[in-house]
Amino acid sequence: MAGVARFEFMHSVLITGAGRGIGLALARHYRAAGWRVYACHRQASAELERIADDNLSLHALDVAEPEQMARLADSLSGLPLDVLFNNAGVYGPSVDGFGSLDAEGLLDTLRVNTVAPLLLAQALLPNLHAGALKTIATLTSRMGSIGDNGSGGHYPYRASKAGLNAALRSLSIDLRPHDIKVLILHPGWVRTDMGGAHGTLSVEQSAAQLFRHVASAQMRDSGRFIDIDGSKLPW
């Protein structure tokens, strides 16, 4: 977005998928905490538009479109970024059992959940270098845990999150010499369109806990697979 003001006196965060759910709750939480928020959305919700102000700007971004990532990175050129929060994700095709899989559904899910967070981190690396906190936080899922998989099924989503975990683990190793933390976070079972109505956490509860994890993270936490309660999850 052209004409974005530079706020040297406050921390800054870019959040993908900020139009609804956990992403919107994160945007509200960071804004209330006095952060400069770059709220990225595929389609802005009325609530996101309502809270936009001088410290919370809206940026159209479909993470499945590399050209849009490039335009976003260009619009933020020279601006320091303390936290990149990769929140955008999809569950994938509703029919996802073995015997009903198709290549398009699998690849579309991988493109959004696995490929996009890595490419966005790559595109915004100069901004993270310039930031003070140097943190990449990414929402994954314990359904991407191979060791914790006792029920099978859900092939596109499980594979995309397992691939994301592997990519972020490598990224944490590669960026450690640059003092950039890579946090791999499970948000809990949250009451969203994806999580369903029976989740144990509201989006506000999940966002508040995620905010605390990111704020308190140390380099020793980089590359760990962290549950919403702070415990370590099995790969």
Side-chain angles (χ1 to χ4, degrees), residues 176-200:
R176 185 176 290 270
H178 303 280
D179 295 321
I180 295 177
K181 299 184 290 292
V182 177
L183 306 180
I184 308 168
L185 304 170
H186 171 57
W189 185 14
V190 187
R191 294 188 292 275
T192 62
D193 290 344
M194 187 185 299
H198 300 293
T200 56

Side-chain angles (χ1 to χ4, degrees), residues 54-69:
D54 289 343
N55 291 339
L56 190 150
S57 56
L58 307 186
H59 304 261
L61 176 66
D62 184 338
V63 297
E65 300 293 338
E67 298 84 0
Q68 292 189 26
M69 281 192 200

Side-chain angles (χ1 to χ4, degrees), residues 69 84 86 112-124 138 164 167-168 170-171:
M69 281 192 200
L84 164 60
N86 287 305
V112 173
N113 291 354
T114 312
V115 177
L118 196 60
L119 292 183
L120 191 56
Q122 182 174 266
L124 297 177
T138 302
L164 174 63
L168 293 174
S170 285
L171 189 62

Side-chain angles (χ1 to χ4, degrees), residues 30-99:
Y30 274 99
R31 176 178 175 269
W35 284 53
R36 176 68 172 92
V37 180
Y38 303 101
C40 298
H41 58 88
R42 191 170 59 175
Q43 182 174 358
S45 61
E47 172 62 14
L48 183 61
E49 291 179 336
R50 187 189 68 79
I51 65 174
D53 58 17
D54 289 343
N55 291 339
L56 190 150
S57 56
L58 307 186
H59 304 261
L61 176 66
D62 184 338
V63 297
E65 300 293 338
E67 298 84 0
Q68 292 189 26
M69 281 192 200
R71 286 198 296 269
L72 175 67
D74 185 62
S75 72
L76 299 178
S77 179
L79 291 174
L81 186 63
D82 289 295
V83 176
L84 164 60
F85 216 122
N86 287 305
N87 161 77
V90 295
Y91 178 76
S94 57
V95 179
D96 60 1
F98 190 72

Side-chain angles (χ1 to χ4, degrees), residues 6-7 12 35 51 60 72 88 145-146 169 172 183 187 216 221 225 235:
R6 296 170 185 268
F7 292 82
S12 58
W35 284 53
I51 65 174
L72 175 67
S145 169
I146 296 172
R169 175 63 180 172
S172 73
L183 306 180
S216 63
D221 300 309
F225 187 6
W235 296 112

